[in-house]
Each structure stands twice: as structure tokens, then as C-alpha cells.
Amino acid sequence: MTASVNVPLNSRGKIAASLPAEQLAEITALFEFRRTGYSLDAPFYTDPSIFKIDMEAIFGQHWIFAASTAELPEPGDYVTVDYGPYSLIVLRNDDGGVNVLHNVCRHRGARVLTEAAGSTGNLVCGYHSWTYSPEGNLIHASAPGETKFDKSCFGLKRAHGREVAGLIFVCIADEPPTDFDETAKIFEPYLAPHDLSKTKIAYQQNIIEEGNWKLVMENNRECYHCDGHPELACSLFPTWGLTEGLIPPHLEEVWNRNKEAQSSLEERCRRYGLPYEVVEQLDTRIAGIRISRESLDGDGESFSADGRRLSKKLLGDLRDFRLGRCSMHLQPNSWFHFLGDHVITFGVFPINEHQSLVRTTWLVADDAVEGVDYDLEKLTYTWKQTNLQDKAFVELCQQGAGSPAYEPGPYMKSEYQVEAFINWYVQRVQEHLA
Ligand code: FES
Ligand SMILES: [Fe+2]
């Protein structure tokens, strides 16, 4: 694990405190009287003030998944990550760590870097050429002598960045929550054998979903709707989230096949020393997590129609393709699938109360050759289709939340992880507002 933490210079925002007292009281009451076991009231998905509070209490306070190692392998490589009103530069530094800088010029506020990704030495603002070092220090302002000012006071504002098992997280709070250390200890042994440092991007997809970020996350937390994913159903057992006694008759055969596949997967994991147990702490800690290694249908290797591998190159030190999917969910904005032949990362970046960017990235071994070791269309097919279907589901719910006829409905037992996500969200916001 490597970590690079810069001292943040930004002061904590207080959007909540700036709301009129009456409005804040109404919002606080919505959180307080949330009906457990039911979906949220409409304003959680439609109200710009609640979105601002989400940005302050969730995206302003917690560790957010930003990118993977493969997106910035060399010093000077960067990605820009935008969510809500924020734009961050995540830059690989010479020490191998990451610098996280607010992408707001200290002259008159222009975006400094305008590309989604690239490589740079110093950072030059395109407006009047103020130039910053990769650490964010202002090193040059043109028209010298016209105005005297202390350059050391006008560096780019910094935030925190850290890397665990090849995943890069950012936190813009002055003091990030410390229990992420414990969560990192949980997931690092699961992910390390896939060795993200030796992967490359095969494909990255950005979709804008016309839905609140919470609806995107909720949708991902259940497979009650998985009949709507025919491509995914070839490899992902649609009994996910169900337990013995909850299996409907039409899924009994699938359930039995799943049980058999799971026990042979676990046997292989024991042989290779790979952890597979379910760790589920979605709403019982600040850095909520769920991780496990679960079987895939068919040959059990990858997200293909027959379960066979989609890339011929194994990742990291793995010795077997039949490793199912090591799946992880991290509050508040990410989920991942680590397979023997590729990895898929998913990050949700809220735009406003009714739009979210969903970024999906397919990673393969860095020596895998497109057209030889993998076919890009086949590699990405299942999740491209699934993402489009999920986008449609999320958008239907957003439309519903905007209707005066909407009222919260009950979660089914198989939707317990949706409930856990909402519990986590409500707890974190209430702590912030207290
Ligand atoms: S706004 Fe960046 S140099 Fe002027
Ligand atoms: Fe889905």
C-alpha cells in the first residue's frame, strides 16, 4: 500500500448552515422520520438543497473512489475527477504517490486542466498562464512587477489522496475519516493477487444517467431486477442477494447450480490461498464495505455467455482462470469486479440532483494485446448492455420520484443491501448535521 497525503489548505464548507433555518429544519425532519425498510421520500432524489447537503456531508467528507493505477501509471499522469461543484486533479507524483489538487486557478478561478486525462509537467492555466508545480505551488505568474504578491499564498488548494491495491481514493475533507485504514486492510488481500499495477485500460465508458446518485447506487445493490439483464444472467447467478428459503420455484435449479459452483470455487481459493469469505459492513462502519469472491455460471471464468475467459492473459500472480468474481462495494460511490482475466471498476460521480456520471473501466493484463489476447467488443459486451439497462431502470425511478403520486415503497428481503446503503447514507448525513 502506498499513501501520499498533502496538507489540505481548503476550509470546510458549510452549505447546510447557509440554508434558511426553516428549510434546514424541514430537511432534518425528512432524515429523522425516514421510514426504515422503505425507499426514501421524493425530495432526497429531486431537491437541489438535499443534493448540496449530499455534496457537503458525503462527497465532502468521505473517501471517494477516483481512478485506478492503470489510469495514471507514470509520474505526471493525471485524471480530472468532477462531482457536484468540485473538480479535482489526481496526479501521479515523482515519489509514486498521488497529489490531489482542486482544479480551480488561484488567479480568477479558471479550470486549470480541461482534459479528462493526460500527462503534464507543470500545470499551466490556459487563461493567463499562471503556472503551478505538480505539488500545486504557484511558480510563475506572468506580468511580473505589476502587482506584488506572495506567490506562496496562491498555490492550488490541496486535498487528500491515497492508493490501496491499485485503487486511488480522494478526500476533500480537512481531516478524512480514519477508519478507511481498517476497510483497506479488509479488501487489500482480496485484490492484491490481481495486481492492478500490471494492468492497462482496455476501455473506459462514461454514461450520464438522468438520475440522482443514490438511485444509481441503490440499483446496483440488488439483483431483484436481474431478469432485466439477459446478458448478465448468462454468467451472474440471478439468486444474488437471496438465501435458502427465499428462492422462488423458477430459480431453484439455478440456486443448486450456484451452490455447487460456489463450493468448487471455495475449494480452489483454499488451494491458492485466496480469501473468499463475505465481509459485509455496509452500514456498520464509516467506510462501509462489502466484499466476497463468488462463483460465475458456466465455466466460471468471466462475464461471457458461456462463462469462458474473455482475455487470454491471467492477471498478476493468479494461476487459474476459474476464480469467479471478487466483487466489492464501497460506500459511497463505487463497486468493482475482479476476475482472473480482467477487472471492471465502476465509479459514480454526481452531477446534480437528477444527473450522475457513471464511469466504467475495463482493465486487462498490461501485456495483453487487443485482437490477439482479447476482442474488445466481446470483453465489454455484457457490462455495456447491463449498464444501458441499469441506466434505463434508474431513469424510470427518477421520473417516478418527480411525480406527485410517488410515495416510498417497501424493500423486499433481497433488497437488504439497498436498505444498508440508505442506512449508511442517512447516518452519515445526520452525523454531519448534528
Ligand atoms: S484564471 Fe488562471 S491564470 Fe488567470
Ligand atoms: Fe442492474
Side-chain angles (χ1 to χ4, degrees), residues 105-110 125-130 132:
C105 183
R106 293 297 305 280
H107 176 218
R108 279 170 48 204
C125 178
Y127 200 175
H128 314 91
S129 303
W130 279 31
Y132 303 89

Side-chain angles (χ1 to χ4, degrees), residues 250-381:
H250 77 283
L251 289 179
E252 266 171 23
E253 185 264 328
V254 178
W255 176 249
N256 290 332
R257 211 166 61 237
N258 190 358
K259 275 204 303 192
E260 268 176 41
Q262 187 64 24
S263 65
S264 50
L265 171 67
E266 290 176 5
E267 198 277 316
R268 277 195 295 285
C269 287
R270 284 191 289 274
R271 197 182 326 146
Y272 301 129
L274 298 172
Y276 58 85
E277 296 82 1
V278 180
V279 178
E280 193 167 274
Q281 301 176 357
L282 284 167
D283 59 353
T284 51
R285 66 180 318 137
I286 290 172
I289 183 172
R290 186 184 196 280
I291 191 165
S292 65
R293 189 176 286 278
E294 292 169 20
S295 53
L296 290 170
D297 208 348
D299 276 25
E301 294 181 344
S302 207
F303 285 116
S304 56
D306 55 6
R308 288 280 289 161
R309 66 199 69 168
L310 288 163
S311 171
K312 290 180 194 156
K313 297 279 186 180
L314 270 171
L315 298 180
D317 300 327
L318 301 174
R319 286 180 283 155
D320 197 322
F321 283 97
R322 289 170 305 157
L323 295 175
R325 60 186 178 106
C326 176
S327 292
M328 176 165 74
H329 175 79
L330 283 180
Q331 316 287 36
N333 80 321
S334 57
W335 63 93
F336 308 85
H337 296 298
F338 283 71
L339 300 100
D341 66 339
H342 74 288
V343 169
I344 319 173
T345 69
F346 299 84
V348 179
F349 302 100
I351 296 169
N352 53 41
E353 68 280 3
H354 60 85
Q355 288 182 312
S356 308
L357 172 75
V358 179
R359 176 167 296 153
T360 307
T361 311
W362 287 259
L363 307 172
V364 292
D366 56 9
D367 60 349
V369 178
E370 186 184 343
V372 177
D373 297 309
Y374 65 96
D375 178 293
L376 191 58
E377 283 308 306
K378 287 185 183 146
L379 178 77
T380 55
Y381 179 72

Side-chain angles (χ1 to χ4, degrees), residues 147-219:
T147 307
K148 283 217 178 315
F149 68 98
D150 182 355
K151 284 212 283 282
S152 69
C153 297
F154 294 93
L156 293 177
K157 291 184 178 178
R158 301 185 220 171
H160 301 269
R162 62 181 301 167
E163 184 179 329
V164 185
L167 301 178
I168 297 165
F169 299 87
V170 297
C171 181
I172 60 174
D174 290 354
E175 292 185 24
T178 52
D179 93 322
F180 192 81
D181 293 341
E182 294 302 315
T183 298
K185 270 187 217 149
I186 294 169
F187 70 73
E188 213 267 344
Y190 285 79
L191 310 191
H194 298 260
D195 199 354
L196 284 195
S197 70
K198 297 202 186 84
T199 61
K200 65 173 180 182
I201 299 173
Y203 190 70
Q204 187 167 73
Q205 178 198 51
N206 289 309
I207 344 179
I208 292 177
E209 301 192 5
E210 299 293 324
N212 182 276
W213 70 277
K214 296 188 289 293
L215 287 176
V216 180
M217 298 304 293
E218 290 177 38
N219 171 70

Side-chain angles (χ1 to χ4, degrees), residues 219-220 222 225-226 229 232 386 390 393:
N219 171 70
N220 177 258
E222 47 89 4
H225 72 274
C226 278
H229 294 313
L232 186 60
T386 304
D390 279 330
F393 290 135

Side-chain angles (χ1 to χ4, degrees), residues 140-147:
H140 177 71
S142 55
E146 280 183 19
T147 307

